[in-house]
């Protein structure tokens, strides 16, 4: 095991990527738990795809600056979130296909934008992340976003749970809407902070997979939040090791590890259900 | 039985309201008053606009014409929608669910005060759910879940209570318990509107009845309303 840690001791860029993705994993996973419970996984996916054209626009305007690309990604994802909200309000029955349409449009715009940069931006890095990409600014961004997320979740926790359980509790007030806006903003901030190490296509992985895996083990909401963060953290560390050892992009490596945790959880859960049926 | 006592009873007046639901005009020219401290059965066939009227009273829907005169601030209106509108995937315990009813006064960050803990225990006791406090909502039967929702209502001190088909699909024991709770609230001075499908229950429980079919067909003392309009049993 100590051999696996050696590269992290040796290379500064790996340590940066490790710290960055570990911070994000502990902030994204609990957020993802609530995202799933609020049935917003698809919206999360659409918003993640929107980060790409936004980041490219930021690059075209201000060059290779983390802050410019993050701001561009943030604005684009918020636009998609607003469009998604508008669509789900107007056309309830076509919600799912509308979200799919949104993320296809966002992805196509982003790829076209990358082509417009004339090869100055590496599409693979943007889509799938790169351990080399995490600089000091990227770490600060991750830390700021994670701190905002933890504080925001603490503040939002009770109204968020209530609004998720029974939205009608807040009928006639603006509480449910304010909670939704604040929550969506936190999700977008995390997706934006995640695009360096995870890539825009994979950022949503640390949001959804650890939370989906944890749902097979935890029965209490508090446990679910804690367990999803733990699974996310483990996936981030294991994924970075895999990325370095197998020379894979960091985003897919981390998502593969989270995906493995998810699949094992599904199998364990199916085996438990089977054993219960045999007992009963 | 300790019921929340309204400090000032609330009356709600509807002045010729028209309410749209999507493309459909769900309520047309509805005029009348829920008097302070009254207990009114809201009855009518499916699609008559009963739920629409409750959602208009909560402020979720706005009339396209006419006006609702409701002097009650929103936190003092308690609304119990139909059972289907609750998401059981959220893994919270019955006790937490009930305690959340008082969220407005506890706020977002403070710890749970002792007063709230005791009130939760009392609400669980009144609804016969003490033994199920640590269970998750998803593990409850429909009747137990409805009792948990009533326990959550007990945690609030509303002045106006709007209940949408609270007895639909409930067994006799649960119905008896819930009826007793509603009677307690009525005695405590709350203004209550209850959507019902059962004529006998309306007779037994509610002094007044509003018979609705997009428009007001009758609105007055229950016996007179039912007799006058030969309201058919639609449950």
């Amino acid at each position: 095991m100590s051999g696996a840690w050696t590269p992290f001791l040796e290379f500064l860029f790996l340590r940066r990527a490790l710290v960055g993705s570990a911070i994000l994993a502990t902030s994204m996973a609990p957020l993802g738990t609530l995202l799933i419970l609020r049935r917003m996984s698809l919206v999360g996916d659409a918003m993640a795809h929107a980060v790409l054209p936004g980041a490219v626009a930021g690059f075209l305007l201000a060059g290779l600056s983390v802050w410019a690309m993050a701001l561009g990604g943030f604005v684009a994802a918020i636009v998609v979130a607003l469009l998604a909200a508008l669509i789900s309000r107007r056309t309830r029955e076509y919600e799912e296909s509308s979200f799919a349409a949104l993320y296809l449009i966002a992805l196509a715009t982003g790829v076209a934008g990358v082509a417009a940069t004339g090869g100055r931006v590496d599409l693979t890095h943007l889509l799938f992340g790169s351990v080399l990409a995490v600089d000091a600014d990227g770490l600060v961004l991750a830390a700021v976003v994670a701190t905002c997320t933890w504080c925001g979740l603490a503040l939002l926790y009770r109204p968020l749970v209530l609004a998720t359980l029974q939205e009608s509790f807040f009928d006639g007030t603006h509480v449910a809407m304010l909670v939704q806006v604040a929550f969506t903003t936190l999700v977008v901030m995390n997706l934006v902070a995640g695009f360096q190490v995870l890539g825009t296509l994979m950022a949503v992985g640390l949001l959804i997979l650890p939370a989906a895996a944890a749902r097979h083990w935890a029965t209490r909401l508090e446990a679910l939040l804690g367990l999803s963060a733990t699974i996310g953290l483990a996936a981030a560390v294991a994924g970075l090791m895999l990325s370095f050892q197998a020379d894979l992009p960091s985003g897919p490596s981390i998502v593969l590890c989270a995906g493995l945790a998810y699949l094992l959880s599904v199998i364990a859960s199916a085996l438990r259900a089977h054993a219960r049926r045999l007992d009963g | 039985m300790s019921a929340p006592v309204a400090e000032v009873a609330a009356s709600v007046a509807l002045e010729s309201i028209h309410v749209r639901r999507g493309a459909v005009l769900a309520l047309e020219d509805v005029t009348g008053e829920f008097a302070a401290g009254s207990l009114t059965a809201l009855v009518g066939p499916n699609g008559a606009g009963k739920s629409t009227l409750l959602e208009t009273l909560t402020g979720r829907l706005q009339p396209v014409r006419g006006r609702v005169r409701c002097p009650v601030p929103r936190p003092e209106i308690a609304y119990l929608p139909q059972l289907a509108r609750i998401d059981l995937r959220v893994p919270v315990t019955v006790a937490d669910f009930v305690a959340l009813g008082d969220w407005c006064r506890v706020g977002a960050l403070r710890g749970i005060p002792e007063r709230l803990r005791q009130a939760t225990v009392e609400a669980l006791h009144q609804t016969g759910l003490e033994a199920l406090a640590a269970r998750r909502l998803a593990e409850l039967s429909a009747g137990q879940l409805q009792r948990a929702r009533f326990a959550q209502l007990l945690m609030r001190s509303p002045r106006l209570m709007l209940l949408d088909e609270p007895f639909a699909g409930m067994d006799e024991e649960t119905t008896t318990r819930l009826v007793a709770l509603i009677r307690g609230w009525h005695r405590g001075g709350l203004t209550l509107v209850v959507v019902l499908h059962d004529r006998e229950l309306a007779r037994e429980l509610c002094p007044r009845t509003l018979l609705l079919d997009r428009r007001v067909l009758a609105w007055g003392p229950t016996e007179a309303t039912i007799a006058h309009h030969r309201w058919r049993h639609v449950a």
Side-chain angles (χ1 to χ4, degrees), chain A residues 21-58:
Chain A
S21 48
I23 289 173
L24 282 175
T26 54
S27 118
M28 279 179 141
L31 206 57
T33 300
L34 292 158
L35 195 79
I36 290 179
L37 289 175
R38 290 179 72 73
R39 299 171 194 265
M40 285 175 62
S41 308
L42 265 181
V43 189
D45 207 15
M47 292 190 295
H49 283 70
V51 173
L52 177 68
V56 173

Side-chain angles (χ1 to χ4, degrees), chain B residues 7-217:
Chain B
E7 284 166 15
V8 187
S11 73
V12 182
L14 310 173
E15 296 173 357
S16 184
I17 60 165
H18 296 61
V19 183
R20 240 176 226 297
R21 204 163 195 139
V24 180
L25 193 60
L27 290 176
E28 213 178 324
D29 196 20
V30 175
T31 298
E33 186 183 16
F34 297 102
S38 61
L39 169 49
T40 308
L42 177 52
V43 299
N46 291 329
K50 304 184 293 291
S51 299
T52 302
L53 180 56
L54 294 195
E55 286 183 32
T56 309
L57 295 176
T58 66
R60 183 183 178 89
L61 296 174
Q62 295 292 331
V64 286
R65 265 170 64 193
R67 208 152 69 135
V68 178
R69 280 187 189 275
C70 182
V72 186
R74 180 57 187 88
E76 293 176 26
I77 303 175
Y79 167 47
L80 187 87
Q82 288 177 27
L83 203 51
R85 285 189 54 195
I86 186 161
D87 195 337
L88 295 175
R89 303 198 316 167
V90 184
V92 296
T93 62
V94 174
D96 285 347
F97 175 73
V98 172
L100 277 171
D102 203 19
W103 170 81
C104 288
R105 272 173 292 179
V106 178
L109 276 179
R110 269 195 297 163
I112 307 291
E114 188 51 36
R115 175 190 61 78
L116 178 58
R117 273 186 221 287
Q118 276 169 6
T120 307
V121 172
E122 174 63 21
L124 288 169
H125 174 70
Q126 283 191 40
T127 47
L129 289 172
E130 304 102 311
L132 304 177
R135 288 265 187 97
R136 276 180 297 149
L137 280 188
E139 294 169 342
L140 300 186
S141 70
Q144 291 165 339
L145 181 62
Q146 192 70 317
R147 283 194 255 160
R149 297 168 87 214
F150 265 71
Q152 195 194 52
L153 289 178
L154 278 167
M155 298 296 292
R156 309 170 67 174
S157 304
R159 288 163 61 194
L160 173 62
M161 182 97 81
L162 311 167
L163 309 174
D164 199 346
E165 298 194 25
F167 309 116
M170 297 301 123
D171 60 24
E172 209 177 310
E173 191 212 331
T174 302
T175 303
T176 308
R177 267 185 194 279
L178 301 187
V179 163
L181 286 172
I182 291 175
R183 286 215 169 98
W185 284 325
H186 181 45
R187 279 197 301 275
L190 256 76
T191 309
L192 287 126
V193 183
V194 188
V195 174
L196 289 177
H197 271 303
D198 186 328
R199 179 168 47 175
E200 285 316 309
L201 206 51
R203 270 207 176 106
E204 194 187 312
L205 182 64
C206 303
R208 293 180 69 78
T209 291
L210 160 56
L211 179 54
L212 192 71
D213 192 359
R214 284 180 56 232
R215 296 164 167 272
V216 176
L217 298 183

